[in-house]
Amino acid sequence: MVRFVDVPNMQRWVIDTGIETAIAGIAGTIEEDFRRWPAFDKTARVASHSDVGVIELMPISDDRTYGFKYVNGHPTNPARGLQTVTAFGVLADVDSGYPTLWAEMTILTALRTAATSAVAARVLAPAGATTMAMIGTGSQSEFQALAFRRLLGIERLRIWDTDPHAMDVFERNIRPLGFDVVRAGSAADAVRGAEIITTCTADKTYATILTDDMVVPGVHVNAIGGDCPGKTELDAAILRRADVFVEFPPQTRIEGEIQQLAADHPVTELWRVLRGEAAGRTSPDQITVFDSVGFALEDFSALRHLAGALDGTDYYADVDLIADPADPKDLFALVAAGAAVGAPV
């Protein structure tokens, strides 16, 4: 039997745990797994692109557990009443190849993306930051706000989105949670006075959401919206004067903001900073950019954290997913009764 966490059970787990507590737990597991980065068999995600979106598989494994996530990204979906991003994930035992956990990951991906952003910001953002600008207030925005409050103490948010309804929804969701929210009149207005800038827009285009003049010395840019070929948010000039940090360079150079730059443009891998092998923020005036496209290790960590949280609970159902005949060499026995049905007379 395989443990299966469907949407209602994922909702129950998150609600009962608390969103900020769930994010903090996932963040701890992400940081733990990034610190053992060399132990993983890693590859860039396998993507199938179309004119309207992308469908991807994101695999990774250590010597005990294999994991993958199926995920899509279709920016035009909301116009049809559908989510831009949906996902599910699987963990499996390396020794047997049998899956051990199957879970919805639309909600879980939102939690792990926010957790990863905050993990990076703790080593890259200026000390004592209190204000974050959020350019793009779509489905990920509330999770980002809660992650940055829990892990960095951010209480003030300056927001901007080209869609007024998206800002209405964000304000309705986040104001009752105690944040000081300023609704800006433009992206340039939103970034004024912010020590951290999060960009998270959905259009699958080369876009310049953040221009070079909008980024002042000392700012940390949490760039999470550019995540596939042909989709960017930052003026390339920002990248040229900032220190850029990434998850997995072979993937980020294809999908991230640095796809705009030469293939040999220097970047620092986040795992090296978390292990103390490379510097993160080194001065108050330094501009840092976390060029995050989402990497399979983060999904692995989120699933691993979830698996541990399920023990002793009823947040999952057992699913009979694996055909398991009494004789492992006699699979036919499971369907033998159908052999005579429809056979020639």
Side-chain angles (χ1 to χ4, degrees):
M1 304 295 281
V2 178
R3 292 192 294 181
F4 173 51
V5 182
D6 61 8
V7 172
N9 275 323
M10 185 67 76
Q11 288 177 282
R12 286 201 307 124
W13 174 68
V14 173
I15 291 169
D16 292 350
T17 303
I19 297 174
E20 291 187 46
T21 300
I23 288 173
I26 292 169
T29 308
I30 287 172
E31 190 163 348
E32 180 181 299
D33 285 341
F34 264 80
R35 285 177 174 162
R36 59 189 191 97
W37 182 269
F40 287 91
D41 180 15
K42 301 171 288 291
T43 186
R45 55 186 157 209
V46 181
S48 176
H49 293 277
S50 69
D51 291 340
V52 294
V54 63
I55 296 173
E56 300 169 327
L57 289 177
M58 302 174 65
I60 194 164
S61 180
D62 62 13
D63 61 352
R64 298 181 60 188
T65 305
Y66 172 91
F68 77 84
K69 182 174 78 174
Y70 166 98
V71 61
N72 78 294
H74 286 68
T76 61
N77 269 1
R80 297 185 288 163
L82 303 174
Q83 291 289 308
T84 299
V85 176
T86 65
F88 67 87
V90 170
L91 291 181
D93 176 58
V94 166
D95 286 343
S96 67
Y98 275 38
T100 58
L101 176 67
W102 171 27
E104 91 78 39
M105 286 198 74
T106 307
I107 296 169
L108 193 59
T109 294
L111 297 172
R112 75 82 160 136
T113 301
T116 303
S117 292
V119 166
R122 283 201 295 194
V123 293
L124 301 178
T130 60
T131 304
M132 178 164 69
M134 304 188 71
I135 313 302
T137 54
S139 296
Q140 174 61 207
S141 56
E142 293 92 348
F143 298 95
Q144 290 283 322
L146 291 169
F148 275 77
R149 179 166 71 180
R150 179 60 177 260
L151 274 71
L152 284 91
I154 295 296
E155 296 283 354
R156 292 196 289 274
L157 305 172
R158 298 179 60 82
I159 66 169
W160 166 250
D161 197 298
T162 56
D163 178 5
H165 176 67
M167 288 194 285
D168 292 341
V169 171
F170 178 82
E171 289 192 79
R172 184 178 69 233
N173 288 337
I174 216 73
R175 280 191 184 277
L177 301 180
F179 287 92
D180 177 9
V181 182
V182 174
R183 185 163 176 157
S186 65
D189 181 25
V191 303
R192 292 191 184 103
E195 298 103 335
I196 300 170
I197 303 171
T198 290
T199 59
C200 187
T201 58
D203 287 345
K204 191 180 177 183
T205 59
Y206 286 114
T208 304
I209 307 302
L210 206 61
T211 57
D212 187 41
D213 61 299
M214 292 161 62
V215 178
V216 300
V219 164
H220 170 60
V221 180
N222 176 40
I224 60 175
D227 56 6
C228 69
K231 182 179 179 216
T232 62
E233 296 180 318
L234 305 189
D235 185 338
I238 299 170
L239 303 170
R240 294 190 182 97
R241 66 189 180 98
D243 290 307
V244 180
F245 298 80
V246 303
E247 293 137 317
F248 186 56
Q251 181 173 295
T252 310
R253 292 192 186 279
I254 295 171
E255 301 180 343
E257 297 296 332
I258 58 173
Q259 66 184 278
Q260 304 177 75
L261 304 180
D264 60 352
H265 186 86
V267 298
T268 302
E269 295 177 66
L270 179 62
W271 70 270
R272 297 189 64 236
V273 178
L274 295 175
R275 281 167 61 99
E277 298 177 8
R281 176 166 288 274
T282 57
S283 73
D285 290 336
Q286 181 186 17
I287 297 171
T288 54
V289 173
F290 180 41
D291 185 4
S292 176
V293 297
F295 184 58
L297 180 58
E298 297 147 24
D299 302 307
F300 180 97
S301 301
L303 288 167
R304 189 166 76 83
H305 178 78
L306 175 65
L310 295 179
D311 293 340
T313 75
D314 65 350
Y315 295 126
Y316 67 94
D318 286 318
V319 178
D320 195 3
L321 189 64
I322 302 300
D324 191 20
D327 180 351
K329 293 187 176 182
D330 188 10
L331 180 63
F332 186 75
L334 295 180
V335 294
V341 178
V345 179

